[in-house]
Amino acid sequence: MKIRRVLATAVALAVTTPAALLSVSPAYADAKPTAQTQEKQSKPTIKELEEAAAEAQKAYDKAVKAEAAGRVELEKTLDDLSEVNGTHPLAVASAAAKQAAEDAAAAKTAADQAVTEAKAALDALTEDATEAERTAAETALSEAEATATAAATAKTAADTAAAEAREKLDDARVAAVRAYGVLQNAAENALAVKAAADAALAKAIKEAEEAGEGEEGEEGGDCEPELDLTSKVTGLPDKLVAGTSTDFSLRVTNGSDRHMDEVLAFVSVHATDTSGLKDTEKFFRLQWSTKSAPKWQNADPDNYIDGVGALKPGAHADVKLRLTLDKATPAGNGVAFFAADFFNEDGTCGGAPDLDMYEFDVKAAGSKPGKTDDAKPSKTTRPGNTGTTPQGSASGTPATTGTNGSLAATGSSSATTSIALAGGAAVLLGAAAVFVVRRRKTGADA
């Protein structure tokens, strides 16, 4: 039995993802984390996901209307830019330049024919021709050649002018099509957001149902938060290089006063390329080993590690972790989540209510590896309390949230480093939709 953390992971990403993600702006993707940071977030409620789905539906409807209007405008613009009967100044200028080029070509053809005829006339003179007749024929040929030369020059200039006018006209057409393409992409992206928000809501409802059936103890009690079940990461660098393996460790500690029969560690790694839009997780391989299971094993599909075993009050267990990047791994950004859950034979269960998040850069093969110094985690106010929540910032100075302790209230300074880092685009976009709803609420309450 495992506590599902997919949505908790998604919302942790959402609060560090700017609302501009919904417009799929690549500008944020160039930002890089200046230092490794750790943050904690909570799981979204079904109500929040319902509101996110509603917001995504509205955004999609608006994008569809804009795309339809843009299509009409594109057709009108292309008609105006037609060389045949277009009324746009560029179309008129191009048509005129084309006609001028055709006229210049005709003039050159006529001039070349005149030269041919003048040469023939001169060659046709006999020995009996007078000096005056020969001089007249030679003058006629010279004038015809001069006219042909001028006609050739005029044709070259006319052709150049026609080509330039046509290029400007084509550029205008391309610009119109690209403008419409932006609306098309916006509609497609809005549809992806809508589908993701709907999927996230459906998953939350399903998980709530499964939690009611599978996470209840023998006496009917639900799994509960356990703040004293902690997981601490050591040795994870802030830069990982393609084609290399990185060993680090996770210490799970039972700081409570009760015995835990079975403890599971949760480790989830996500990454994208530098654009932030393409998942690169397929290039990553996470393995683990423990004292009781020393042989390296692959993490299971649910990102759980079951080699911790039981923990007495105050006891801890260490999990060795190895993250291997394929040599073909694209450069980009990554993020790793850590937590722990417990289950007892009497049916009680629970786990750390928050996820610890570590950001890192992904460097191309052959790059210099990052520092192996441990990350310095920030402190987050526990649920139910009020106060500030320090978090890593670009300057190294902790930032703070409002009295609700929500990172979404600030649009975290490290937001640009976590764009598109999700377990699949659908999960991320759904989480981003939640972020937008929360941000709007914060603005309304300000």
Side-chain angles (χ1 to χ4, degrees):
M1 180 170 58
K2 298 174 181 177
I3 298 175
R4 299 180 183 276
R5 293 184 177 272
V6 175
L7 291 176
T9 305
V11 80
L13 288 164
V15 297
T16 55
T17 302
L21 175 63
L22 297 181
S23 64
V24 195
S25 170
Y28 292 95
D30 294 332
K32 297 292 186 298
T34 57
Q36 199 174 24
T37 59
Q38 179 191 44
E39 297 165 359
K40 298 182 177 181
Q41 307 304 333
S42 59
K43 184 176 180 178
T45 65
I46 290 180
K47 182 179 179 181
E48 287 175 329
L49 291 172
E50 287 175 340
E51 292 175 348
E55 290 288 343
Q57 180 67 57
K58 291 179 182 178
Y60 173 64
D61 292 341
K62 184 177 180 180
V64 169
K65 290 181 180 179
E67 190 270 340
R71 188 186 309 115
V72 173
E73 184 64 24
L74 174 64
E75 292 174 355
K76 180 179 180 300
T77 300
L78 292 180
D79 286 342
D80 290 342
L81 291 172
S82 172
E83 257 188 349
V84 178
N85 54 6
T87 58
H88 193 282
L90 291 177
V92 174
S94 181
K98 180 180 179 182
Q99 184 60 54
E102 292 175 353
D103 293 343
K108 181 179 181 302
T109 299
D112 290 341
Q113 181 61 34
V115 170
T116 300
E117 293 175 353
K119 285 182 178 180
L122 179 61
D123 293 339
L125 292 178
T126 64
E127 295 181 355
D128 296 335
T130 65
E131 186 65 26
E133 290 175 335
R134 186 170 296 279
T135 299
E138 291 175 348
T139 299
L141 175 59
S142 178
E143 291 176 348
E145 289 176 338
T147 300
T149 299
T153 301
K155 180 181 182 300
T156 299
D159 288 343
T160 300
E164 291 176 350
R166 181 57 183 268
E167 183 177 2
K168 291 179 180 179
L169 183 62
D170 289 341
D171 288 345
R173 289 172 175 166
V174 170
V177 173
R178 284 179 177 172
Y180 173 64
V182 171
L183 297 177
Q184 278 187 313
N185 289 337
E188 292 174 359
N189 294 331
L191 178 59
V193 172
K194 175 184 175 300
D198 291 342
L201 174 59
K203 179 178 282 291
I205 294 174
K206 180 180 179 181
E207 290 186 353
E209 294 173 349
E210 291 178 348
E213 297 175 359
E215 295 183 358
E216 292 186 356
E218 293 179 359
E219 299 180 358
D222 292 335
C223 290
E224 59 188 48
E226 178 50 76
L227 298 174
D228 292 321
L229 180 58
T230 61
S231 53
K232 181 181 179 181
V233 177
T234 56
L236 179 62
D238 58 3
K239 295 182 181 64
L240 301 180
V241 179
T244 66
S245 293
T246 299
D247 289 350
F248 57 104
S249 62
L250 175 69
R251 170 164 291 187
V252 180
T253 302
N254 177 9
S256 73
D257 57 1
R258 60 178 169 181
H259 184 277
M260 297 179 182
D261 294 332
E262 182 183 6
V263 175
L264 299 178
F266 175 85
V267 182
S268 182
V269 179
H270 306 285
T272 69
D273 62 1
T274 54
S275 74
L277 302 177
K278 181 180 180 181
D279 294 333
T280 59
E281 297 162 27
K282 66 180 181 180
F283 298 102
F284 287 68
R285 181 188 182 192
L286 179 66
Q287 296 176 290
W288 63 270
S289 69
T290 61
K291 184 177 181 180
S292 60
K295 184 178 180 180
W296 286 107
Q297 301 183 48
N298 295 328
D300 70 18
D302 293 327
N303 301 310
Y304 273 94
I305 296 172
D306 58 7
V308 176
L311 284 181
K312 298 178 180 180
H316 69 263
D318 293 323
V319 180
K320 294 181 180 179
L321 296 169
R322 173 171 293 172
L323 189 57
T324 302
L325 280 64
D326 188 273
K327 190 174 182 180
T329 307
N333 301 314
V335 64
F337 295 96
F338 303 90
D341 301 326
F342 76 90
F343 305 92
N344 290 331
E345 293 180 0
D346 63 4
T348 58
C349 57
D354 299 319
L355 290 166
D356 295 343
M357 185 179 81
Y358 291 83
E359 294 174 291
F360 55 85
D361 276 346
V362 178
K363 298 297 184 181
S367 301
K368 183 178 180 180
K371 299 179 180 178
T372 57
D373 295 340
D374 298 336
K376 300 298 185 289
S378 59
K379 297 180 180 180
T380 304
T381 303
R382 291 180 178 178
N385 294 336
T386 59
T388 59
T389 306
Q391 55 181 314
S393 65
S395 63
T397 303
T400 59
T401 67
T403 56
N404 61 359
S406 170
L407 288 175
T410 65
S412 166
S413 60
S414 63
T416 56
T417 67
S418 297
I419 291 180
L421 301 178
V427 175
L428 172 60
L429 291 172
V434 175
F435 168 74
V436 173
V437 172
R438 285 181 171 175
R439 186 132 189 184
R440 288 184 179 178
K441 281 185 175 181
T442 303
D445 295 339

